[in-house]
Amino acid sequence: MTPSRRRFYGTGSAYQSKRKDRGVKVVYDVLATDQLSALLCTGEGRYFQRLHRSMFGFLARLSVFVKRRKSKKTHSQTETIPTKPLQPESKGPFGSLFALIIGIDAYEAPEITPLLGAVADAREMECYLTAKLRVPRMNIQTLLDGQATRSNIIKGIQELTDNPSITRNDPILIFYAGHGTEAPSPKGWEAEQSKIEMIVPQDYRATKDGKRVGCIPDRTIGILLQQLANAKGNNITVILDCCHSGSGTRDGFRRVRSVEANEDIPDDLDIEIWGTSEGKRAKIPAEFKYHGSASHVLLAACASNQSAMENNCRGVFTQALLDTITTLGVENLTYASLIKHLPDLPGQSPRCEGKNRDRHWFTTRVSRNEPFYEVKKGSEGYVLDAGSVHSITERSEFSLYKEPSIMSTHLGKVTARSVGPLTSIVELSPGSSPDLPSPAFAIQTVFGTAKALRIHLSDDPKLKSLRDRLQHEAESNPHLYALTNHEDAKLHIGIHEDTVTFAFENSLIRTLGLDRIPFRVRLEEEVAIIKIVEAASLFIRYLNHHPTYLDVDDHIAEQGSKEPVSVYYRKLERRGRNKWGEEAHENGNLNKNYQVDVVGGLTRYGLKITNNSEEDLYPYLLLFNCNDLSITSYYAPPTVKHIDKDASLQKGGSITVGYGDGGGQPWRHVVAPAKGTSKDRIVRDEEDLQVEFFKLILSTKPVDLSFMEQRSPFDQSARDDTKLPEPVEMWNTALLTVVVRKENASR
């Protein structure tokens, strides 16, 4: 990767903008004053921005050449300004971060409305990285105006993939500020609402080598990001300050970052990129939405039906984002929590998407603590922004804090008095602060009336120590599990030689053929066993979690729909060695009465969810693996600041998971082999089948259910880990059973 080069002209205190045949080239001035500030001239295609001194702190490390013009008729001559000796550039905690920063104000096509703040946004982002995070400047490639051609943008991402200086899981940032657009999906490009989204390069609509330059579609960006993640890990952050509504307008210094794309998009556009085996296997016609993507985290300025605005020569979203992360510090934020901390942006609902949005910024560290819920004063008392869909029950208790951190001021406690689908009414406990800030933040401490997992232990005397410890833990955590007799138990703990065994006393799981969990743990590993029991408790609780009221089904029945959704489970066929056909065509619906029976192997699968109701829905898809107790998110709606009309699963619409614009890769079902010996802490036994449940949770408002996810407790390996009408508050679930049989195993 070649860092962007800078040239410095003149001795004045203003930036100059030199137009070239192919766009605008920005030329920096060296300022004689300590306070570095600059005004780019006003007028069409010329801009102004105030810059802080820290933005060009690197000048002290350069020998700057200043070109002085004696007159219009004489040649220019240069002189060297002496500087202090070069000092080694110190690296901050993000010294291994690499970035591609793109900002476009002036477009080559005269009919495209120029922007006023995209270049300024790009410079401010660069300034934040170098001055605040102390990212080495050589790690940053910046493409501004005429540099940000279609070929250069694509090349910039590819250079990150090929850069030998980037090691696996180094943080990578791709920032784009400029116009966006949308167009009808070309033939064979499966997409939500039959639309694809695109970013607009500076040379869009220009003619080069006899061909007209097009936009860069989401399909191309998607496979480039997947290739980057495969090579460098998925610690990738993508920030897009643009919109795709195709309604580009201007009003003084307020402008919309979108243009209309009037031409048809060829169905083989960029086939040299996505037509590789990777592109075919992933079938990546993905929108930037890419909800299920594990390759990157996306922060977008607005919903697809909204406009990304500029105001006073800055992007509203980028300015708010930089102000927030500067004030709070990226080390204190996850990607998802940032959205909640952003100020309200009129007409814009920023969103965070991607499987890894619970990671802390620019790291692979995941925040999996118990979630904080907002508490606000309402007409009926204090309202908790969580309901039965979050597993809240009556008499659940919460500790209150001034900020979403247990290190902030403790304000007291509240108890759930009335639990609704998505919100709850809570009352203050004695001794709590009578005047709560709005909002206050609550973290759950007691599970209320939720049923504990009933456990039975074998009478073998070798289990006496474990039984005593479990009894003590059960008394301390009565909401998690309790010891009981064999007839009432849901989990049985036995012993085989010197190892502890686990078996579900669940009629459905046993009927499907899974008699016991295929893991054994050495008897002396009591701490590990306690963690397994706790994981099993949460696994059963969330698997059996469903609405306790009937108004969801009644509401849908009134609208004439028998089922709120239909699920099509499809096999993705492979063409040739390590290649997949461009079209992931269906091979019959494998979903038979909400059960899928397959043979484990190399076959890839995906599914399609269709909304048959009259409500816009937000789906959350979790995979419960009964063999190892893991709960994995396969699809999640974006994290948003406010509810908008851009629901993930709109009425009459559909989404795909594992292919298409739903994001993510196709998956395989595999029956794992035996692993370990009697000397190991944990042993995996031979198994003939694997029982999994896809749990689809649907709601009429976006909810964050990431707290339900959990790693397998048997896994010892490390892993990277405008006001709208109020919709009826509802949620519901559907359960799709997947039985994976070992090849040649009897049914």
Side-chain angles (χ1 to χ4, degrees):
M1 180 183 70
T2 304
S4 56
R5 297 181 178 178
R6 312 292 199 272
R7 296 168 63 195
F8 300 84
Y9 290 92
T11 56
S13 60
Y15 283 113
Q16 299 174 3
S17 180
K18 281 195 171 184
R19 285 194 173 273
K20 301 294 183 182
D21 292 338
R22 295 192 179 275
V24 176
K25 185 166 185 177
V26 176
V27 182
Y28 300 162
D29 276 332
V30 179
L31 307 183
T33 63
D34 286 339
Q35 178 64 37
L36 288 171
S37 60
L39 292 178
L40 290 177
C41 302
T42 59
E44 195 70 6
R46 312 188 81 182
Y47 328 99
F48 69 88
Q49 176 196 13
R50 179 178 176 83
L51 299 174
H52 296 291
R53 174 180 181 178
S54 58
M55 183 172 182
F56 295 113
F58 69 100
L59 289 180
R61 298 187 295 273
L62 299 177
S63 294
V64 182
F65 295 92
V66 180
K67 180 179 291 186
R68 292 180 175 175
R69 302 181 183 276
K70 290 186 176 180
S71 68
K72 294 183 179 180
K73 296 182 180 181
T74 60
H75 295 289
S76 301
Q77 62 183 24
T78 64
E79 64 177 349
T80 301
I81 298 178
T83 64
K84 295 180 180 180
L86 295 178
Q87 300 294 326
E89 187 172 19
S90 61
K91 292 184 179 181
F94 296 99
S96 61
L97 187 149
F98 289 78
L100 173 63
I101 298 177
I102 304 162
I104 309 172
D105 281 336
Y107 284 82
E108 189 164 339
E111 65 271 20
I112 297 179
T113 302
L115 296 173
L116 301 178
V119 169
D121 285 347
R123 294 198 186 287
E124 280 293 309
M125 182 61 69
E126 183 181 33
C127 171
Y128 173 79
L129 296 179
T130 56
K132 189 70 175 179
L133 301 187
R134 294 166 59 195
V135 176
R137 188 162 298 277
M138 64 180 297
N139 289 10
I140 303 173
Q141 182 180 21
T142 304
L143 302 176
L144 304 176
D145 283 338
Q147 300 167 325
T149 62
R150 190 181 199 277
S151 61
N152 281 350
I153 293 174
I154 292 176
K155 182 181 177 182
I157 301 176
Q158 292 173 328
E159 286 179 343
L160 291 171
T161 304
D162 299 333
N163 190 342
S165 298
I166 304 177
T167 59
R168 191 161 188 85
N169 288 329
D170 279 347
I172 297 172
L173 169 66
I174 299 175
F175 173 85
Y176 173 83
H179 279 306
T181 190
E182 67 177 7
S185 176
K187 183 179 179 180
W189 292 29
E190 187 162 351
E192 290 179 22
Q193 316 305 324
S194 299
K195 295 283 189 179
I196 61 169
E197 298 179 348
M198 302 180 287
I199 61 174
V200 183
Q202 191 274 342
D203 55 348
Y204 173 52
R205 294 178 182 169
T207 300
K208 294 184 177 181
D209 299 326
K211 295 182 180 180
R212 186 164 178 168
V213 177
C215 295
I216 306 178
D218 42 27
R219 180 175 193 161
T220 301
I221 298 291
I223 191 60
L224 288 172
L225 291 173
Q226 188 62 55
Q227 292 169 347
L228 177 59
N230 289 344
K232 303 299 182 182
N234 60 7
N235 190 7
I236 302 171
T237 307
V238 179
I239 302 175
L240 299 178
D241 196 346
C242 61
C243 55
H244 306 93
S245 62
S247 58
T249 59
R250 56 178 174 175
D251 177 19
F253 290 119
R254 286 184 59 83
R255 304 202 173 184
V256 176
R257 290 181 172 179
S258 70
V259 298
E260 300 230 8
N262 299 318
E263 61 274 5
D264 294 332
I265 307 301
D267 57 9
D268 62 348
L269 180 63
D270 295 326
I271 191 173
E272 69 278 5
I273 295 175
W274 54 260
T276 63
S277 60
E278 278 186 333
K280 291 180 180 179
R281 179 172 66 250
K283 192 178 185 292
I284 302 277
E287 286 189 357
F288 296 121
K289 292 179 179 177
Y290 222 44
H291 310 289
S293 174
S295 64
H296 65 281
V297 174
L298 169 67
L299 295 164
C302 59
S304 60
N305 57 0
Q306 295 177 325
S307 297
M309 301 299 299
E310 288 189 344
N311 193 24
N312 295 326
C313 299
R314 286 295 308 276
V316 173
F317 171 63
T318 298
Q319 188 169 23
L321 183 149
L322 286 174
D323 287 348
T324 302
I325 61 178
T326 299
T327 301
L328 300 179
V330 290
E331 66 277 5
N332 301 316
L333 292 169
T334 66
Y335 295 102
S337 67
L338 167 80
I339 298 298
K340 300 300 183 182
H341 284 92
L342 287 174
D344 290 340
L345 307 181
Q348 291 183 226
S349 179
R351 48 230 301 111
C352 174
E353 303 171 7
K355 185 175 181 179
N356 297 314
R357 57 186 169 179
D358 288 318
R359 286 179 176 178
H360 286 261
W361 274 70
F362 304 136
T363 73
T364 57
R365 182 164 55 93
V366 179
S367 177
R368 278 286 184 263
N369 297 324
E370 291 295 321
F372 279 89
Y373 303 113
E374 290 187 355
V375 176
K376 295 181 179 179
K377 183 74 172 179
S379 58
E380 300 182 33
Y382 287 105
V383 180
L384 178 80
D385 191 27
S388 60
V389 69
H390 302 87
S391 290
I392 305 301
T393 60
E394 291 184 3
R395 298 201 297 275
S396 293
E397 296 180 9
F398 304 82
S399 287
L400 287 174
Y401 294 89
K402 186 176 181 180
E403 301 291 341
S405 169
I406 59 174
M407 303 303 293
S408 65
T409 303
H410 183 254
L411 303 174
K413 296 181 179 181
V414 292
T415 303
R417 173 168 53 87
S418 175
V419 179
L422 306 180
T423 59
S424 303
I425 304 299
V426 296
E427 54 188 14
L428 288 171
S429 300
S432 300
S433 174
D435 298 317
L436 295 181
S438 184
F441 297 90
I443 186 170
Q444 191 170 8
T445 55
V446 176
F447 278 71
T449 58
K451 293 183 179 180
L453 175 65
R454 297 187 296 276
I455 303 171
H456 174 257
L457 269 74
S458 169
D459 294 332
D460 193 299
K462 291 182 179 180
L463 293 176
K464 183 181 184 306
S465 174
L466 178 61
R467 181 183 293 104
D468 292 342
R469 184 159 186 171
L470 278 172
Q471 183 64 50
H472 174 75
E473 294 290 339
E475 293 172 356
S476 302
N477 300 284
H479 57 279
L480 276 180
Y481 52 85
L483 300 185
T484 187
N485 56 55
H486 190 277
E487 290 73 20
D488 295 332
K490 295 297 182 182
L491 180 70
H492 176 75
I493 298 178
I495 188 167
H496 175 73
E497 296 177 347
D498 290 328
T499 58
V500 173
T501 62
F502 307 87
F504 282 125
E505 298 295 334
N506 181 295
S507 58
L508 174 58
I509 296 176
R510 295 182 72 90
T511 299
L512 294 171
L514 186 64
D515 294 327
R516 69 176 184 87
I517 299 173
F519 287 91
R520 291 179 287 121
V521 183
R522 289 186 63 84
L523 184 59
E524 62 270 19
E525 299 290 341
E526 292 187 356
V527 173
I529 295 171
I530 296 295
K531 291 182 179 179
I532 291 168
V533 171
E534 292 175 352
S537 172
L538 295 175
F539 185 92
I540 293 297
R541 171 173 295 168
Y542 296 144
L543 179 62
N544 294 332
H545 186 45
H546 60 275
T548 57
Y549 46 85
L550 300 177
D551 58 338
V552 174
D553 296 325
D554 293 342
H555 183 81
I556 292 171
E558 290 174 1
Q559 300 169 348
S561 177
K562 295 181 180 180
E563 288 185 319
V565 297
S566 56
V567 179
Y568 195 105
Y569 204 89
R570 67 172 54 174
K571 181 188 296 185
L572 308 182
E573 293 188 347
R574 185 169 59 178
R575 298 178 182 175
R577 183 183 177 90
N578 295 325
K579 290 187 178 181
W580 295 83
E582 177 187 348
E583 294 297 322
H585 61 275
E586 58 194 66
N587 187 26
N589 188 2
L590 301 177
N591 176 14
K592 308 300 182 183
N593 297 320
Y594 281 88
Q595 181 169 326
V596 175
D597 199 319
V598 298
V599 175
L602 298 177
T603 303
R604 260 51 173 206
Y605 299 90
L607 59 81
K608 184 175 184 178
I609 305 169
T610 301
N611 184 357
N612 303 317
S613 76
E614 293 299 320
E615 298 285 345
D616 291 339
L617 299 173
Y618 294 85
Y620 211 109
L621 185 66
L622 296 165
L623 180 68
F624 289 72
N625 188 322
C626 298
N627 289 52
D628 66 6
L629 302 181
S630 63
I631 307 174
T632 307
S633 172
Y634 270 59
Y635 187 97
T639 300
V640 296
K641 177 72 173 178
H642 298 294
I643 298 172
D644 52 51
K645 293 183 179 180
D646 194 30
S648 308
L649 186 56
Q650 298 187 3
K651 56 185 177 182
S654 61
I655 58 171
T656 56
V657 183
Y659 68 101
D661 62 9
Q665 298 288 300
W667 55 84
R668 296 188 297 144
H669 294 295
V670 179
V671 178
K675 183 179 180 180
T677 67
S678 58
K679 295 182 179 180
D680 293 322
R681 295 175 59 246
I682 297 177
V683 179
R684 182 164 198 155
D685 294 326
E686 185 77 16
E687 53 190 283
D688 290 330
L689 86 164
Q690 185 163 290
V691 175
E692 302 168 335
F693 294 100
F694 274 108
K695 189 178 185 71
L696 177 62
I697 302 174
L698 302 165
S699 68
T700 52
K701 291 182 178 180
V703 294
D704 182 7
L705 302 180
S706 60
F707 65 90
M708 291 187 180
E709 299 176 48
Q710 69 178 25
R711 286 180 54 182
S712 169
F714 303 103
D715 185 2
Q716 304 177 75
S717 61
R719 293 184 182 177
D720 294 337
D721 281 328
T722 63
K723 189 175 181 181
L724 301 175
E726 287 291 321
V728 178
E729 288 193 356
M730 301 186 303
W731 71 279
N732 205 350
T733 70
L735 204 63
L736 176 64
T737 305
V738 181
V739 178
V740 187
R741 302 186 186 277
K742 189 175 181 180
E743 191 172 5
N744 299 324
S746 60
R747 290 178 179 264

